[in-house]
Amino acid sequence: MKIFLANEADTLAFGTSLSKVIGKRCLFFLHGSLGAGKTTLVRGFLRGLGYAGTVKSPTYTLVEEYNLPKCLVIHFDLYRLNDPEELEWIGIRDYFDSDAVCFIEWP
């Protein structure tokens, strides 16, 4: 499914709405150019779950985990990966085997 969100406020609101209907163990592939709002969508999702901390793009860390009372949220950014084997090095199978909501930027 493709969804067009016109601005940051719409993206945050959609992320928040999404958090109200998504249960555990979901996988989202986020596509879009740099600055398109992929991390903003994840921020809205986390805000909808009550997370008030900083939400940054995991461009350099590759993975950010948010262990919340309702669910575990894993936020990946695969932009800097050059080889599919690198997914094994970061333990992606372990993340997918958990009851987590996973967001992957640059899948």
Side-chain angles (χ1 to χ4, degrees):
M1 172 190 313
K2 290 184 181 184
I3 298 171
F4 176 76
L5 301 165
N7 54 45
E8 182 178 2
D10 288 351
T11 305
L12 286 168
F14 180 74
T16 298
S17 296
L18 197 59
S19 74
K20 306 301 182 204
V21 296
I22 298 301
K24 296 178 180 178
R25 213 170 175 130
C26 288
L27 176 61
F28 295 93
F29 296 112
L30 304 178
H31 297 270
S33 59
L34 290 171
K38 297 176 294 294
T39 297
T40 302
L41 177 75
V42 176
R43 184 177 302 116
F45 186 87
L46 290 166
R47 294 288 183 261
L49 295 175
Y51 182 77
T54 301
V55 179
K56 59 185 171 88
S57 175
T59 301
Y60 295 103
T61 59
L62 302 180
V63 181
E64 292 288 336
E65 292 184 43
Y66 303 89
N67 198 354
L68 305 171
K70 184 176 178 182
C71 68
L72 173 64
V73 178
I74 312 288
H75 183 193
F76 299 90
D77 186 327
L78 306 183
Y79 182 77
R80 296 178 53 235
L81 295 187
N82 296 313
D83 186 318
E85 255 185 54
E86 292 177 81
L87 294 171
E88 294 297 330
W89 299 335
I90 66 172
I92 201 157
R93 289 179 199 267
D94 294 331
Y95 290 115
F96 288 167
D97 285 342
S98 68
D99 285 335
V101 176
C102 296
F103 290 91
I104 302 179
E105 295 188 27
W106 303 98

